[in-house]
Amino acid sequence: MTYALLAVLIVAGSLAVAAVASAVRGLGARWWAAVGLTAVVLVALTVVFDSLMIAADLFRYGDEALLGATVWLTPVEDLAWPVVAALLLPSLWALATPRETPA
């Protein structure tokens, strides 16, 4: 299995959980905008810090499992994980939070 296939499967699952959380909890456009902004910031930080760690030769990827496309030095497959975090964590939080009952 390649990193890209694994990333697509995990992002799709996270997006499904986010869609369910949005539907069940009635989360609107403001919630999706916050999730999107969070994803953009996390992806930018991932590009910077992964590239620095790769440049410092702290770790390497198996070239046979990568697509070959990079942003700075970061493989594009590695950018899926901050997107997963931005989608999945607030979605699980919304689903796990008890509903407020009217007084």
Side-chain angles (χ1 to χ4, degrees):
M1 179 179 290
T2 64
Y3 293 130
L5 178 59
L6 179 63
V8 166
L9 293 174
I10 300 298
V11 169
S14 300
L15 190 55
V17 172
V20 167
S22 179
V24 168
R25 294 298 183 154
L27 304 171
R30 193 169 159 197
W31 184 82
W32 282 104
V35 168
L37 179 61
T38 301
V40 167
V41 170
L42 289 176
V43 165
L45 290 170
T46 299
V47 167
V48 170
F49 289 105
D50 274 15
S51 294
L52 291 173
M53 289 186 292
I54 291 168
D57 203 25
L58 295 177
F59 61 90
R60 296 179 187 168
Y61 290 96
D63 290 335
E64 64 280 351
L66 293 174
L67 293 175
T70 61
V71 178
W72 195 6
L73 296 175
T74 305
V76 293
E77 297 91 340
D78 212 22
L79 301 179
W81 310 119
V83 172
V84 167
L87 283 169
L88 199 56
L89 294 175
S91 302
L92 293 175
W93 184 277
L95 290 171
T97 304
R99 294 181 190 251
E100 293 182 17
T101 56

